[in-house]
């Protein structure tokens, strides 16, 4: 799996998984792995069985999902599926749909035999998902996969046998209580218009094509990947259907398999007077896919949903993250858990909204939102505060600006934060996200913040901090300031 740097910043497979570790942990995968004389473990991506074993192993070992992938059916690649889910996380977060306090509800159109998107989205984020499927065999397998992984309270599988691709009747009674609306739809549509096109695409890339032959074995039945008119016709129909579903679903999204389809779909959205549009690329290894999102919510003024802005966002994302490496030997926090407690205190002190998006034993990733700049001029604010204390003889009521030095953080655990009722004595609780209307102004800064412990040569490990700008009115340079604040307060 040649993975590249253009993956979503929070995609855990940005760093190629160790096949050696996977082979040690997972017996089924081990049977497909070979080890060379230098001890390097590799696999043959041209064999469908091997791809299947790899996907099953990653789902099992990284996501605790035991998924049956029937022969002759599409084998989903996990890094790509995550790239799509992570993008939806960004859309949901940037639109503040989550902030209404209700759980997230989504619909996966054409969920396939694996039911991969609902399983991953519910396991990873606790989202409530409906997987819709037309093909009976896929439907049965999808249902079994949900039951086998005990996710039936979060994932419902529904048959679609009507003409509509987006049919809101699947929402009726799926969840109790019924949500007022669903947050999003997602779809990996059949890409091809005929079996000939499918064959041609595959062959043209293997013989005299200037493009290199596909690295991976082809998987999937014609039923799954072929539809009349191909993906463009399928998505156009989905756009038409979305008009009728606009009161019940906030964002509609789809993946596209051909670059040439992107401009056609964007043009169609414009023709339908849909102005709230976003697009992105999903990059993983040698394969690129495209994502399109649209919304019918009127006056949905969120810059992350505008196509132009999204292009900028993409450019920003491809820039390397701001990084800080701190050897554990130079750090007061000797365990990863104690460091994380400290980081959370720092984020809370700055009044930043944050939610965990990836978690592992030695790594954690947050999406962080700043509505205001609370990190600049901390020293001056502290001096003013001290002067006030001396003058009045007691701390001022707004003590939030005094919460930033190491010496004070231990007391902070007893001090109510400016979230009002949220006294942060329990540091494991993340602050609740503030309620916001969809039309509320754009945040100053939204960034991904990954902290992990890395093995380094010698006696001590290092803590690595990475901040990746996502969007926000203040521009990307602000993350340097936030990183500086974190550095200053971790000494
Ligand atoms: C390319 S596969 C995607 C499977 C899975 N979501 C994945 O990403 O691996 C497309 C799926 O959509 C299903 N499908 C095609 N038309 C559909 C429709 N109108 N409604 C629901 N599912 C449909 C196919 O049966 C197939 O399982």
């Amino acid at each position: 799996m040649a993975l590249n740097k253009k993956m979503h910043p929070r995609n855990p497979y940005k760093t190629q998984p160790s096949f050696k570790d996977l082979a040690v942990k997972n017996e089924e995968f081990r049977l497909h792995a070979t080890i060379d004389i230098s001890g390097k473990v590799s696999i043959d991506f041209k064999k469908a069985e091997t791809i299947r074993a790899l996907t099953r192993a990653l789902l099992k070992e990284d996501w605790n999902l035991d998924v049956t992938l029937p022969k002759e059916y599409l084998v989903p690649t996990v890094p790509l599926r995550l790239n799509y889910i992570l993008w939806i996380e960004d859309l949901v977060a940037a639109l503040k749909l989550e902030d209404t306090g209700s759980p997230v509800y989504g619909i996966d159109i054409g969920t396939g035999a694996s039911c991969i998107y609902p399983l991953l989205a519910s396991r990873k984020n606790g989202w409530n998902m409906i997987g819709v499927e037309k093909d009976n065999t896929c439907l049965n397998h999808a249902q079994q996969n949900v039951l086998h992984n005990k996710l039936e309270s979060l994932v419902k599988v529904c048959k679609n046998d009507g003409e509509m691709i987006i049919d809101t009747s699947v929402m009726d009674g799926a969840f109790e209580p019924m949500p007022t609306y669903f947050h999003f739809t997602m779809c990996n549509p059949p890409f091809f218009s005929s079996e000939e096109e499918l064959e041609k695409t595959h062959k043209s890339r293997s013989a005299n094509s200037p493009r290199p032959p596909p690295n991976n074995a082809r998987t999937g039945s014609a039923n799954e990947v072929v539809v009349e008119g191909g993906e463009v016709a399928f998505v156009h129909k989905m756009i038409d259907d979305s008009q009728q579903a606009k009161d019940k679903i906030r964002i509609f999204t789809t993946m596209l398999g051909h670059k040439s389809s992107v401009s056609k779909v964007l043009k169609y959205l414009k023709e339908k007077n849909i102005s709230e549009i976003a697009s992105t690329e999903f990059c993983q290894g040698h394969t690129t896919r495209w994502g399109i999102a649209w919304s019918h919510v009127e006056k949905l003024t969120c810059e992350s949903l505008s196509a132009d802005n999204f292009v900028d966002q993409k450019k920003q994302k491809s820039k390397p993250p701001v990084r800080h490496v701190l050897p554990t030997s130079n750090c007061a926090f000797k365990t990863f858990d104690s460091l994380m407690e400290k980081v959370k205190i720092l984020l809370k002190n700055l009044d930043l909204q944050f939610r965990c998006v990836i978690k592992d034993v030695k790594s954690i990733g947050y999406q962080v939102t700043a509505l205001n700049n609370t990190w600049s001029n901390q020293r001056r604010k502290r001096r003013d505060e001290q002067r006030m204390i001396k003058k009045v003889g007691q701390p001022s009521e707004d003590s939030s600006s005094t919460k930033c030095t190491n010496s004070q953080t231990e007391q902070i655990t007893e001090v109510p934060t400016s979230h009002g009722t949220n006294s942060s004595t329990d540091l494991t609780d993340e602050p609740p996200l503030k309620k916001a209307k969809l039309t509320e102004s754009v945040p100053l800064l939204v960034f991904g913040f990954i902290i992990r412990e890395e093995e380094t040569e010698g006696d001590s490990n290092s803590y690595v901090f990475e901040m990746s700008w996502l969007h926000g009115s203040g521009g990307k340079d602000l993350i340097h300031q936030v990183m500086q604040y974190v550095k200053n307060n971790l000494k």
Side-chain angles (χ1 to χ4, degrees):
M1 194 174 353
L3 301 175
N4 63 32
K5 301 273 174 238
K6 283 166 78 189
M7 273 199 179
H8 191 286
R10 295 194 305 279
N11 197 316
Y13 301 109
K14 223 170 144 67
T15 312
Q16 174 153 347
S18 158
F19 288 158
K20 199 172 187 170
D21 292 350
L22 204 56
V24 170
K25 283 190 273 189
N26 191 284
E27 194 181 343
E28 183 184 329
F29 177 73
R30 192 156 63 237
L31 297 175
H32 294 266
T34 50
I35 183 160
D36 71 12
I37 199 159
S38 66
K40 188 175 170 223
V41 175
S42 57
I43 58 170
D44 184 354
F45 284 98
K46 292 204 160 38
K47 289 188 180 157
E49 278 312 306
T50 306
I51 309 277
R52 185 174 290 108
L54 173 62
T55 289
R56 276 181 45 75
L58 292 176
L59 289 173
K60 182 88 196 89
E61 304 307 332
D62 296 344
W63 304 99
N64 190 24
L65 289 169
D66 185 1
V67 179
T68 300
L69 303 170
K71 276 192 179 156
E72 314 303 330
Y73 281 83
L74 199 69
V75 176
T77 50
V78 184
L80 168 61
R81 299 314 188 274
L82 272 171
N83 270 343
Y84 191 0
I85 289 178
L86 289 162
W87 185 51
I88 291 185
E89 281 178 12
D90 292 343
L91 290 174
V92 169
L95 292 170
K96 302 188 177 166
L97 298 176
E98 248 185 343
D99 301 2
T100 53
S102 96
V104 173
Y105 289 86
I107 301 175
D108 175 30
I109 294 161
T111 203
S114 61
C115 200
I116 182 83
Y117 286 119
L119 292 182
L120 268 178
S122 59
R123 180 68 95 223
K124 180 175 184 299
N125 297 333
W127 289 351
N128 298 274
M129 296 289 300
I130 299 179
V132 183
E133 182 49 61
K134 206 175 180 93
D135 178 276
N136 281 330
T137 314
C138 288
L139 193 82
N140 290 338
H141 283 292
Q143 255 153 356
Q144 285 310 313
N145 278 328
V146 173
L147 291 175
H148 185 64
N149 287 284
K150 300 190 170 43
L151 281 167
E152 59 272 28
S153 63
L154 289 177
V155 179
K156 314 291 171 187
V157 178
C158 293
K159 168 96 173 146
N160 177 14
D161 37 22
E163 284 303 305
M164 311 262 292
I165 299 178
I166 300 175
D167 181 354
T168 53
S169 69
V170 296
M171 292 154 63
D172 297 338
F175 294 104
E176 202 51 62
M178 175 81 174
T180 334
Y181 55 79
F182 273 54
H183 298 88
F184 68 89
T185 63
M186 65 191 308
C187 178
N188 176 8
F191 292 158
F192 300 100
S193 57
S194 63
E195 286 192 46
E196 293 73 55
E197 191 199 356
L198 165 67
E199 289 303 324
K200 213 169 79 191
T201 307
H202 202 68
K203 278 196 192 128
S204 71
R205 290 197 49 196
S206 47
N208 303 319
S209 166
R211 295 180 68 195
N215 289 296
N216 290 7
R218 200 184 83 197
T219 64
S221 64
N223 244 2
E224 296 169 286
V225 294
V226 173
V227 69
E228 200 183 328
E231 62 181 1
V232 171
F234 192 88
V235 174
H236 283 184
K237 172 87 173 79
M238 205 149 65
I239 293 168
D240 293 343
D241 292 353
S242 75
Q243 303 269 8
Q244 299 184 39
K246 66 180 178 192
D247 295 333
K248 293 191 171 175
I249 297 163
R250 287 291 182 264
I251 312 172
F252 303 87
T253 76
T254 189
M255 193 200 278
L256 290 170
H258 304 300
K259 192 175 186 179
S260 58
S261 306
V262 176
S263 53
K264 291 176 189 158
V265 169
L266 290 175
K267 187 164 166 264
Y268 194 72
L269 284 164
K270 296 244 162 82
E271 278 166 23
K272 296 282 159 185
N273 290 325
I274 300 169
S275 55
E276 305 300 341
I277 305 166
S279 59
T280 191
E281 272 180 7
F282 304 124
C283 302
Q284 45 285 306
H286 298 285
T287 314
T288 302
R289 298 282 181 250
W290 294 265
I292 305 277
W294 67 98
S295 176
H296 297 285
V297 178
E298 275 178 37
K299 299 193 184 102
L300 188 82
T301 53
C302 181
E303 67 167 16
S304 70
L305 203 62
S306 102
D308 293 346
N309 182 66
F310 213 83
V311 174
D312 288 350
Q313 198 176 320
K314 233 168 46 193
K315 277 192 216 141
Q316 298 286 1
K317 275 185 186 170
S318 62
K319 295 207 162 117
V322 174
R323 200 175 142 90
H324 171 55
V325 180
L326 180 64
T328 51
S329 54
N330 288 357
C331 180
F333 305 95
K334 294 298 169 207
T335 65
F336 188 70
D337 286 348
S338 62
L339 174 80
M340 283 322 304
E341 292 300 285
K342 176 68 181 179
V343 168
K344 282 199 216 171
I345 291 173
L346 295 180
L347 296 177
K348 283 181 186 180
N349 289 345
L350 290 181
D351 245 352
L352 300 177
Q353 302 170 6
F354 58 99
R355 66 187 180 93
C356 179
V357 287
I358 338 168
K359 195 162 190 240
D360 211 330
V361 187
K362 296 282 181 196
S363 69
I364 192 153
Y366 291 109
Q367 177 160 315
V368 186
T369 303
L371 299 176
N372 304 303
N373 181 337
T374 49
W375 50 88
S376 295
N377 300 323
Q378 286 291 337
R379 220 175 273 159
R380 185 176 53 75
K381 284 180 190 159
R382 277 200 302 278
R383 270 200 312 270
D384 291 351
E385 186 75 25
Q386 289 303 326
R387 266 201 293 274
M388 276 292 275
I389 293 170
K390 274 191 197 138
K391 216 162 135 190
V392 185
Q394 57 182 34
S396 69
E397 266 188 22
D398 175 16
S399 56
S400 59
S401 59
T402 65
K403 294 175 188 170
C404 301
T405 61
N406 263 342
S407 59
Q408 287 163 331
T409 48
E410 299 313 319
Q411 298 158 23
I412 292 161
T413 56
E414 304 300 328
V415 178
T417 68
S418 55
H419 292 288
T421 54
N422 179 34
S423 159
S424 57
T425 41
D426 179 3
L427 296 176
T428 57
D429 275 349
E430 290 165 22
L433 292 170
K434 285 181 182 168
K435 296 216 168 173
K437 290 194 184 114
L438 286 172
T439 50
E440 196 177 309
S441 59
V442 172
L444 182 73
L445 173 66
V446 181
F447 63 99
F449 186 16
I450 294 176
I451 306 116
R452 59 175 177 274
E453 185 173 348
E454 273 186 7
E455 279 183 24
T456 38
E457 288 188 12
D459 294 338
S460 106
N461 287 349
S462 289
Y463 296 129
V464 178
F465 302 81
E466 280 182 357
M467 291 183 182
S468 310
W469 189 86
L470 292 173
H471 62 97
S473 58
K476 67 176 178 3
D477 286 345
L478 291 183
I479 56 173
H480 292 275
Q481 297 175 8
V482 182
M483 183 65 99
Q484 191 59 48
Y485 173 85
V486 170
K487 277 159 81 169
N488 291 347
N489 286 279
L490 282 178
K491 283 174 189 156

